[in-house]
C-alpha cells in the first residue's frame, strides 16, 4: 500500500515580447510495508524569454530538484544510489535568426549537484556546458542542421574531472500546427 501526496502550482505570464513561467511540484510517498522506499521530492523551475528584436531573443532558465535517490540526475557516469540528491541548473542563451533561412541558438548552462546523507562517497560538484545549434529551414515545414556541445564536469572536489564533447546532425519536420517529428544522430 502507498500513500502519495503531490502538491503543485504554476504561474505564467505572456505579453507580446516576454513570457515567464514558474512552478513547483512536490511528492510525499509513504509505503506502509516497504518503509525503505519512503521519500519526499521537491522540484521548482522558472523560465523567462524576451524577444529583444524581431530576429533575436534571450532566455533564462532555472531548475531545482531535491530527491531521495540519484536516479533522476542527468550526469554521465553517476551510479544509481539510494542517496539524497540536490540538483540545480541555471542556463542563459540567445536564439537568433541570422538570415531568412538560417537560425542560430547558443546556451551556457551551470549545474550544481550535491548529495545528502552520511557515509556518502559522492560529494557533488559543478558541471558547465556550452552548446550551440545551427539550423537551415528547407521550406515551410522542414529544417536541418547541426549541434555541438562541450561539458566540463568537476565532481568530488576535483577528484573526478571530465570533459565531454558531442556533435550531431538534426532534421525536423512539422506535420501539423503543434506537432513535429525530430530525427537526430551524433557522437559523444
Amino acid at each position: 500500500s502507498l500513500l502519495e501526496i503531490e502538491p503543485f502550482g504554476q504561474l505564467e505570464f505572456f505579453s507580446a515580447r516576454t513570457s515567464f513561467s514558474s512552478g513547483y511540484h512536490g511528492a510525499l510517498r509513504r509505503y506502509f510495508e516497504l518503509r525503505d522506499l519512503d521519500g519526499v521530492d521537491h522540484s521548482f523551475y522558472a523560465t523567462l524569454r524576451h524577444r529583444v528584436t524581431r530576429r533575436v531573443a534571450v532566455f533564462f532558465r532555472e531548475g531545482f530538484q531535491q530527491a531521495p535517490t540519484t536516479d533522476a540526475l542527468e550526469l554521465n557516469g553517476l551510479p544509481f544510489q539510494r542517496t539524497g540528491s540536490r540538483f540545480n541548473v541555471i542556463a542563459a542563451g540567445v536564439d537568433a535568426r541570422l538570415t531568412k533561412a538560417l537560425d542560430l541558438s547558443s546556451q551556457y548552462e551551470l549545474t550544481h549537484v550535491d548529495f545528502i546523507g552520511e557515509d556518502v562517497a559522492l560529494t557533488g560538484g559543478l558541471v558547465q556546458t556550452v552548446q550551440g545549434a545551427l539550423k537551415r529551414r528547407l521550406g515551410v515545414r522542414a529544417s536541418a542542421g547541426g549541434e555541438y556541445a562541450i561539458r566540463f564536469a568537476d565532481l568530488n572536489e576535483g577528484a573526478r574531472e571530465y570533459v565531454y564533447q558531442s556533435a550531431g546532425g538534426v532534421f525536423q519536420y512539422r506535420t501539423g500546427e503543434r506537432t513535429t517529428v525530430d530525427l537526430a544522430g551524433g557522437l559523444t
Side-chain angles (χ1 to χ4, degrees):
S1 298
L2 167 68
L3 171 66
E4 187 166 19
I5 300 171
E6 294 189 21
F8 67 92
Q10 186 168 323
L11 176 67
E12 295 180 332
F13 168 79
F14 298 99
S15 73
R17 298 177 77 127
T18 304
S19 64
F20 172 78
S21 179
S22 179
Y24 168 82
H25 183 261
L28 170 65
R29 286 177 303 287
R30 173 81 160 88
Y31 290 86
F32 293 102
E33 296 169 8
L34 301 169
R35 301 267 171 128
D36 289 343
L37 298 178
D38 290 352
V40 177
D41 296 8
H42 300 282
S43 62
F44 166 81
Y45 75 93
T47 303
L48 176 66
R49 183 174 182 85
H50 180 71
R51 204 172 72 207
V52 180
T53 69
R54 285 182 33 227
R55 293 179 171 256
V56 177
V58 295
F59 62 88
F60 171 80
R61 286 185 297 116
E62 200 275 339
F64 173 81
Q65 179 182 29
Q66 181 173 326
T69 66
T70 61
D71 66 332
L73 300 180
E74 295 180 16
L75 292 175
N76 302 38
L78 181 69
F80 170 79
Q81 291 184 359
R82 188 95 181 125
T83 298
S85 60
R86 287 187 293 246
F87 185 74
N88 194 54
V89 178
I90 298 172
V94 176
D95 291 331
R97 178 160 286 173
L98 302 177
T99 68
K100 281 186 174 184
L102 196 60
D103 295 327
L104 175 67
S105 179
S106 61
Q107 173 177 301
Y108 171 77
E109 183 176 285
L110 177 64
T111 303
H112 177 261
V113 65
D114 189 22
F115 300 97
I116 307 164
E118 298 174 21
D119 301 325
V120 177
L122 304 168
T123 59
L126 294 173
V127 180
Q128 298 181 69
T129 305
V130 177
Q131 59 190 29
L134 189 63
K135 284 187 182 176
R136 180 169 177 78
R137 285 183 299 291
L138 306 172
V140 178
R141 294 180 175 242
S143 66
E147 297 178 334
Y148 174 77
I150 186 165
R151 176 183 287 187
F152 302 96
D154 182 3
L155 302 174
N156 286 356
E157 298 172 351
R160 291 173 62 188
E161 292 184 6
Y162 300 103
V163 176
Y164 297 98
Q165 295 185 58
S166 60
V170 295
F171 176 78
Q172 185 178 67
Y173 185 77
R174 204 167 120 200
T175 59
E177 186 179 322
R178 297 181 188 202
T179 309
T180 61
V181 175
D182 292 304
L183 300 172
L187 181 65
T188 297

